Amino acid sequence: MKGSFLLSVVLLQALGCGLGARILVVLPFPARSHFFFLSAILKALSQRGHHIVEYSPFPPSKPLPNYTHVEVHTFLEDLVNDWSFEEFEEMAQKDQPVVGLGFMSIWNISSAVCAEAFQHENFKKLINSNEKFDLVITESSFGQESMLVFGHRFSAPTVTLQTFSSWSGINKNAGNALSIAFIPDIISYIASDQMSFHERFLNFISTVTTLFMYYNHQLPLQDNVLKENYKMDAPPVADMVSNVSLYLINTHPTVEYAQPYTPNIIPVGGIVIEPDRTSLPEDIKKFMDGASKEGVIYFSLGTLVPIHRMPKEKLQMFVNVFSKLKQKVLWRINLDTIPGLSANVKLTKWVPQPGVLAHPNCVLFLTHGGLFGQQEAIHAGVPTVNIPFFGDQPYNAKFAEHRGIGVKLMFNDLSDETISTAIRTVLDNPKYKENAQRISRIFRDRPMSPADSAVFWVEYVLRHRGAHHLRSAATQLSWYQLALLDILAVFMAVIVILCFVLRRIYSLLFVWKKQPKVTKKKKEN
């Protein structure tokens, strides 16, 4: 009996591998924190028996079965590594949300990354190869639409991964409703689903401007990338983005406002919170275990902000504030020491963030407001103080304020007083912790895990060799048809014509009624 059971298991595993698909994954943009989301999906697929052939700058942290990594490096890696804080601030200022123009610098950088990736030797070999793939996966977060050409090249359906919440461009491509009246554009100053007339007007302007720049600036940029670097025939990028089978997006109702999604948009927010990212190194665990009375504040500005090159006066502000706290502070920064650092502060260059936030002694997360950190804090039920810089960070910080799970502190407003006030506001008011724990329970309560959901829908696309039947017909309609402006124009024309006819009839009747009176007077005379 035991032997039969083992044989059955072996046969099932062999069958699973035999049915596994070959999936090409093209991810040239070097955003390490975002890669946690991407790699979590790829890891789940490889464990299911699918063979992943991945082109990116980042190899898996551990060897994975059915996984082939091919390195592709671009200029942006060295640029980010050598970034001065002043250069980062300049880029962040260009990406501030200004009536829908917040993606401009990211789009421009991304186009340059894509252009260089196509010139990489490994990309050239792939393009000219006789490989066969059942599916192509690309990223849509940073404007890498030209990568969809690999779906065309290998005659395979495409799936795109969106590392933050949906936005107007994704919604338009997928045929999803824009919901301008109650869903703020991610690149806007608005962060509430209960908008006044003024806010709805600004949201309309931001959304329309974002879409205009996306279709008239970003997609032509990507067309130009293909024209100059891809030597085979390729359809227009606009056609390829409207031909995507499925969008896996990094969101959940607890980290955005409730909104409708078409069946081809699948939220898988929280997939980065994996068991292997929750175990703590011994020194970190000991530090946090020893803070059972007052707790630990975790401070990290992510992987992109060069905080170790922050001006000394700014660093000193944090040093001064931390020295006056009762809490311990775990500070993630690429420095071995900082002058004047108090004994309650521990510096670390790397830490498994979900594990730190999940520790029972973690009482506050001081963060830049990135979506991954926000999800990990919500999962752990930890309130936040957000110092946003660019991209979706200002939106996420405002969302945390609106949900009562954090406060926002702008970098230009940093001082000993403002930092201390923000920290004390969250720690001294129990509503922030209570709201964070309540939302945490909602975040965890779902019918299936994000990984299982991602795998199911990718396999759904594989089973049906595409999933165009999930796309709304809205993708085939122009903007004025979607807004029913043509119907409104006809309706208004009918009203105008009807008014003109009624007025003409009235004029004729009025003349007719007056005519007998004139005749009668003439007869009396």
Side-chain angles (χ1 to χ4, degrees), residues 6 33-34 47 414 462 481 509:
L6 291 175
S33 61
H34 287 224
Q47 290 175 339
L414 288 183
L462 286 166
Q481 289 174 317
L509 287 174

Side-chain angles (χ1 to χ4, degrees), residues 65-285:
N66 313 313
Y67 202 107
T68 301
H69 170 74
V70 183
E71 291 192 4
V72 175
H73 299 284
T74 60
F75 72 95
L76 190 56
E77 292 173 75
D78 292 334
L79 179 65
V80 171
N81 291 334
D82 297 333
W83 235 343
S84 69
F85 198 83
E86 291 73 18
E87 289 172 327
F88 171 79
E89 274 194 289
E90 182 181 353
M91 186 279 296
Q93 286 298 321
K94 290 179 180 178
D95 255 12
Q96 289 301 305
V98 181
V99 291
L101 301 180
F103 279 140
M104 289 294 289
S105 62
I106 289 180
W107 284 341
N108 293 336
I109 292 173
S110 180
S111 294
V113 168
C114 291
E116 185 170 344
F118 276 111
Q119 293 299 322
H120 197 282
E121 189 62 31
N122 288 333
F123 257 42
K124 291 181 178 180
K125 290 180 181 177
L126 173 64
I127 292 169
N128 295 315
S129 71
N130 295 318
E131 294 266 21
K132 302 292 183 182
F133 296 102
D134 302 296
L135 183 73
V136 172
I137 294 179
T138 68
E139 183 185 2
S140 55
S141 304
F142 286 113
Q144 303 168 66
E145 292 84 1
S146 56
M147 297 297 130
L148 292 171
V149 77
F150 287 100
H152 172 76
R153 169 65 183 83
F154 295 106
S155 301
T158 54
V159 171
T160 68
L161 311 181
Q162 171 75 25
T163 54
F164 47 77
S165 178
S166 65
W167 59 285
S168 51
I170 293 295
N171 286 331
K172 181 67 173 63
N173 292 339
N176 195 40
L178 295 178
S179 307
I180 297 174
F182 61 94
I183 298 299
D185 184 25
I186 198 169
I187 304 298
S188 74
Y189 287 104
I190 298 132
S192 171
D193 56 350
Q194 300 171 1
M195 291 180 265
S196 64
F197 172 82
H198 179 251
E199 288 173 328
R200 281 187 287 116
F201 177 79
L202 291 179
N203 196 46
F204 171 78
I205 296 298
S206 179
T207 302
V208 170
T209 306
T210 298
L211 287 172
F212 179 83
M213 296 307 299
Y214 178 69
Y215 285 102
N216 292 278
H217 175 75
Q218 167 60 9
L219 294 191
L221 269 181
Q222 293 288 298
D223 274 321
N224 194 54
V225 167
L226 291 177
K227 182 180 178 180
E228 294 183 357
N229 301 281
Y230 185 77
K231 303 308 179 183
M232 297 184 178
D233 292 334
V237 172
D239 290 347
M240 290 191 288
V241 297
S242 64
N243 199 40
V244 171
S245 288
L246 193 72
Y247 299 83
L248 298 178
I249 64 173
N250 184 30
T251 191
H252 182 268
T254 57
V255 294
E256 68 170 2
Y257 300 108
Q259 58 185 290
Y261 283 128
T262 46
N264 56 344
I265 299 179
I266 308 299
V268 290
I271 196 171
V272 297
I273 306 170
E274 301 175 285
D276 59 356
R277 294 189 64 218
T278 57
S279 58
L280 297 177
E282 189 58 38
D283 61 327
I284 301 294
K285 185 177 184 302

